[in-house]
Amino acid sequence: MAARPHNARGQRRGGPRLRPPVDNAARCASLGAGILPERVSRVDQKTSRTIDGEGGQPARGVADHEEAIAWLKNRGIQDVECIVPDQAGVARGKLMPTEKFARSPTIRMPTSIFSQTIAGSYPQEDDDFHYDPSDGDLVFTPDYATLAIVPWASDPAAQLIHDAKYKDGRPVDHAPRQVLRRVVDLYERRGIRPVVAPEIEFYLVKPNTDPDYPLEPPIGRSGRPEIGRQSFSIAAVNEFDDLFDDIYEYAELQGLEIDTLIHEEGAAQMEINLLHGDALDLADQVFMFKRTIREAALRHQMYATFMAKPMSGEPGSAMHIHSSLVDAQTGRTIFSDEEGNPTQAFFSFIAGHQRYLPHVMCVLAPYVNSYRRLERYTASPINVHWGYDNRTVGLRVPHSKPEARRLENRIPSSDANPYLAIAASLACGLLGLDEGANPDDPIEGSARDLPYGLPRDLLGAVALFEECDPLVDIFGKSFVSTFKAIKKAEFETFMRVISPWEREYLLLNV
C-alpha cells in the first residue's frame, strides 16, 4: 500500500507500524496530545501535551472544567457540542451555548439512547432485554481530555465527548465507552497496558440521494471517475488532493494524529492509519475521524462511506486493529523477552483471538452488509488463522523489531463501532492470556482456500456471542442483551426490503 508522501506540515511519515512501546508510559499519560504546526507548537514538559498557540493550551484535551472555560474563551467558541457515541458509533447529544456550558457542563438524555437501532427504531423487549419503564434520564458528564474544536462549523464551535451515568453516579455499563474502559481496566489489574493502532478504510462516492441506485466513484480533478484497480497509486490520491488537504487540516486543528494516508484496492477507496496509543484515546480519535472525513467530503460534493461493502464488484472496507501490550510500570513490551524472542504471552494473545473472535463477530461485523465483505479470494479474511507478515489470514504478525512486536486483527469491518471493536479484540486476547492458550501453527502460504472459520450471517454471529459465557462476563449481561436486541431488530428491518436480486431472478422464474 502506498503512503501519502508528506503530511500537512511537510513532514515525512513512515508506514503503519507501532513505535517501540518503551515510550508508551509517558505517551499514554498525556491523553489528548495534539499536533499543530511547528511554528506555533511546543511541548509542555510537565504533561507531555502538545501545546498550540492559543494561550499555550493543548489542541485537544484539558484537565478540568476551569481549563475548559479558558480554552473556549481563548478561541471565541460560541457553542459546545456535547456528544456521546451510541451503540452504532453515531454521535448523539445536544448543542449548548458556551455560557450555559460554563454554568453546567452536564446534559441529560433518556435511557433509550443506547437502545436505538441504526434505522432509528427501538427493539422489542424479550426475556433478557427490558426498557426502563419510565424512560428516565441518564446524566452525561464531560471527559475533558476529548475537548476539541469543530473545524467545519460555520460559527466557532467545540466538541466534547461525554460519559453516561445513572443519577446515583454509577457508570452505564452498556455504554460503548464504558465497555472499552472496563476491558482496559481488566488489563490494568494485571499490570498491563494495551496499545493499539487502528487503520480505517473508506470509500469516496458521488452524492447519492436515492438508495435504490448503486453508488458510483466520484469525479476527481482530472474530470474522470476512477476505473480499475489503483492500489498504491499516488496519482489516484492526488485526484482528491484538495479534499485530503482539508482532512489533514481538520485533523491538526482537532489534535488528531494521522500516521499515513493510502489508496486502497477499490475505486476511490482510501485508508487512514492513526499513530498508536492508549486504547480509549484511539477509539475517541476514530470516532472523531469518521465525523471529520464525512464533513470534509461533503465540503467537496462527495460522500465518504464506511459501509463494509458499499459497491458490488469492489473490495470491502476494514478497520484493522494493531495491538501490543506493555508492562504498566516499565512501559516495555510483554510480547518479547530480553533476547528479543516472542513470549508465551504473545502466543496466548494470538490464541485468544483464534478461539474467541468468531464469538464477537457480531461486534466486529455488526450489520447484514458487513458479511458481504467476507468473500473468499479477496483482501478480506474468512478465518482466524495467523501468520507472519501474511495478509491472507485473519491475524497477521507484521514484520517488526522485537520491541514493536504486535498482532494485527484484520477481521473488523469499517462499519464497526471503534469502542466496541477495540474492546472485543482486546477481550479475546485477554481470555487467551488468562487461559494460557496456545495458537495453532502459523500459515506460511495462502489461507484463502482454507475453510471459513467465521460466521457467515448476522443472526448466527449474535447467537455465538450470547452463548459464550467468558465474553458475557467481560462485556456484561446488560450490554449483551441490549446489543442482541438491537441486532435482531435491525435484521428484521432488513428482511422487509425486497432486493433487486430477488426481482431479477425470482420475478418470472419461480
Side-chain angles (χ1 to χ4, degrees), residues 263-484:
H263 193 293
E264 266 291 353
E265 185 179 354
Q269 185 187 29
M270 309 295 170
E271 176 182 294
I272 284 183
N273 303 331
L274 304 183
L275 290 174
H276 69 281
D278 170 80
L280 183 61
D281 182 41
L282 265 296
D284 286 337
Q285 289 196 50
V286 174
F287 172 65
M288 296 169 73
F289 254 117
K290 283 189 170 184
R291 297 186 74 207
T292 298
I293 293 167
R294 287 193 193 99
E295 291 289 342
L298 287 172
R299 182 175 178 179
H300 293 269
Q301 292 75 53
M302 286 178 264
Y303 289 170
T305 178
F306 297 88
M307 283 179 64
K309 185 75 169 178
M311 290 185 279
S312 300
E314 295 290 345
S317 290
M319 180 172 60
H320 300 159
I321 300 172
H322 292 248
S323 301
S324 63
L325 303 177
V326 300
D327 184 286
Q329 295 296 321
T330 66
R332 298 185 64 86
T333 180
I334 69 168
F335 283 169
S336 299
D337 61 20
E338 294 297 330
E339 287 72 40
N341 301 311
T343 61
Q344 178 60 44
F346 180 60
F347 291 119
S348 293
F349 190 74
I350 295 173
H353 280 74
Q354 287 192 300
R355 182 174 299 177
Y356 290 104
L357 277 177
H359 296 274
V360 293
M361 196 63 188
C362 65
V363 176
L364 305 180
Y367 303 102
V368 174
N369 178 263
S370 310
Y371 296 84
R372 301 187 191 278
R373 165 180 165 256
L374 304 173
E375 295 181 87
R376 193 184 293 278
Y377 307 124
T378 68
S380 300
I382 61 171
N383 51 52
V384 291
H385 291 291
W386 74 285
Y388 292 100
D389 198 20
N390 188 336
R391 286 186 171 84
T392 71
V393 296
L395 300 167
R396 172 176 172 256
V397 179
H399 178 73
S400 69
K401 295 180 179 179
E403 60 268 26
R405 183 169 280 118
R406 65 196 185 276
L407 180 68
E408 178 190 6
N409 179 2
R410 298 174 58 79
I411 292 173
S413 50
S414 59
D415 55 1
N417 181 321
Y419 301 95
L420 300 180
I422 293 172
S425 190
L426 291 176
C428 293
L430 181 66
L431 289 172
L433 291 175
D434 287 350
E435 295 169 4
N438 290 302
D440 56 19
D441 293 334
I443 300 295
E444 294 185 358
S446 175
R448 291 185 174 129
D449 287 313
L450 298 177
Y452 275 86
L454 297 167
R456 300 297 307 278
D457 64 88
L458 180 60
L459 289 187
V462 170
L464 285 177
F465 185 42
E466 66 173 325
E467 293 167 1
C468 184
D469 290 340
L471 286 169
V472 173
D473 289 341
I474 290 177
F475 280 86
K477 292 182 179 180
S478 175
F479 172 79
V480 174
S481 63
T482 301
F483 197 77
K484 175 188 71 172

Side-chain angles (χ1 to χ4, degrees), residues 197-215:
E199 302 173 353
I200 313 129
E201 296 173 353
F202 61 96
Y203 274 90
L204 299 174
V205 298
K206 287 182 180 179
N208 182 306
T209 58
D210 189 338
D212 285 335
Y213 286 89
L215 299 175

Side-chain angles (χ1 to χ4, degrees), residues 203-242:
Y203 274 90
L204 299 174
V205 298
K206 287 182 180 179
N208 182 306
T209 58
D210 189 338
D212 285 335
Y213 286 89
L215 299 175
E216 299 178 31
I219 303 298
R221 65 177 184 176
S222 67
R224 303 180 65 184
E226 188 176 307
I227 59 174
R229 293 286 181 261
Q230 298 290 342
S231 300
F232 313 102
S233 174
I234 295 297
V237 171
N238 291 340
E239 282 286 298
F240 307 103
D241 254 354
D242 289 345

Side-chain angles (χ1 to χ4, degrees), residues 82-119:
C82 301
I83 55 178
V84 58
D86 71 359
Q87 302 294 2
V90 174
R92 309 284 180 184
K94 296 182 178 181
L95 189 65
M96 187 183 299
T98 302
E99 294 78 8
K100 182 177 180 180
F101 176 84
R103 296 192 301 270
S104 177
T106 62
I107 62 173
R108 292 174 181 264
M109 291 186 287
T111 57
S112 55
I113 192 172
F114 292 117
S115 303
Q116 196 169 3
T117 71
I118 194 65

Side-chain angles (χ1 to χ4, degrees), residues 255-268:
L256 305 178
E257 300 178 284
I258 297 177
D259 188 8
T260 53
L261 169 66
I262 309 162
H263 193 293
E264 266 291 353
E265 185 179 354

